[in-house]
Amino acid sequence: MASVTPLSSLQVTRRLVPGWYAIPNCSIQQRPLLIYHGAFAPSASADDMESHLGRVGVVAPQWRFTMYDVTHFHTTAHEVLCISQGRARLCFGGDENPGRFEPVVGRGDVLIVPAGLGHRLVDDLDGGFQMVGSYPPGRPWDMCYGVPGEEASVDAIRSLPWFERDPIYGDDGPAVEMLQA
């Protein structure tokens, strides 16, 4: 069973990334990228993370993989990424975006990526960077790249519901604190 860092000790990074050309980033819903630093214990495996996510029930794990090295975003679902192995430098917002954000994340971190936020792998720092990718049940995820023809998909982000419960902590947690503010 995965142990999670108590909310009182959790360090969270919140970052609103401005839109850049055809990549909407956080501009549509004004929901920030959330990084829960060390949310899972370093000993937590991908199986442990998937079991925890299943118990909380806000998102359903759908894959284990690294992050694509091409900037992409999703318009049909917000994404929850649990880092199960390694460390990496990621780019959020698009490579040429002066407002981009390039954090280093590692095992045990959780990223809550709002729909529309472009993201890609910049550098796999240790080799073998892996994540558990999860989405709200019943919300299939798509792949968009900020190219012509995606406008209708991007517009659909406006009506996409946010999490009613935090994907890691349930009734409390940073993802739902934003709803109460």
Side-chain angles (χ1 to χ4, degrees), residues 38-125:
F40 286 100
S43 60
S45 67
D47 286 340
D48 294 334
M49 292 172 180
E50 288 179 352
S51 294
H52 179 82
L53 293 168
R55 281 191 301 280
V56 175
V58 174
V59 294
Q62 296 194 13
W63 52 261
R64 294 179 185 181
F65 197 60
T66 188
M67 184 179 283
Y68 293 121
D69 62 2
V70 172
T71 298
H72 65 284
F73 60 93
H74 313 289
T75 64
T76 55
H78 305 295
E79 184 173 43
V80 176
L81 302 172
C82 300
I83 313 305
S84 59
Q85 196 173 333
R87 291 179 318 121
R89 186 164 58 95
L90 308 177
C91 180
F92 291 93
D95 291 330
E96 303 300 320
N97 183 347
R100 72 186 175 278
F101 180 50
E102 294 189 2
V104 171
V105 297
R107 185 176 187 149
D109 291 347
V110 173
L111 294 83
I112 299 181
V113 184
L117 179 55
H119 51 285
R120 79 173 190 93
L121 174 70
V122 174
D123 191 11
D124 182 340
L125 298 171

Side-chain angles (χ1 to χ4, degrees), residues 153-176:
S153 295
V154 168
D155 193 52
I157 294 171
R158 293 182 197 295
S159 60
L160 194 62
W162 187 247
F163 302 105
E164 292 184 19
R165 297 177 65 236
D166 189 276
I168 303 301
Y169 291 96
D171 292 332
D172 294 315
V176 294

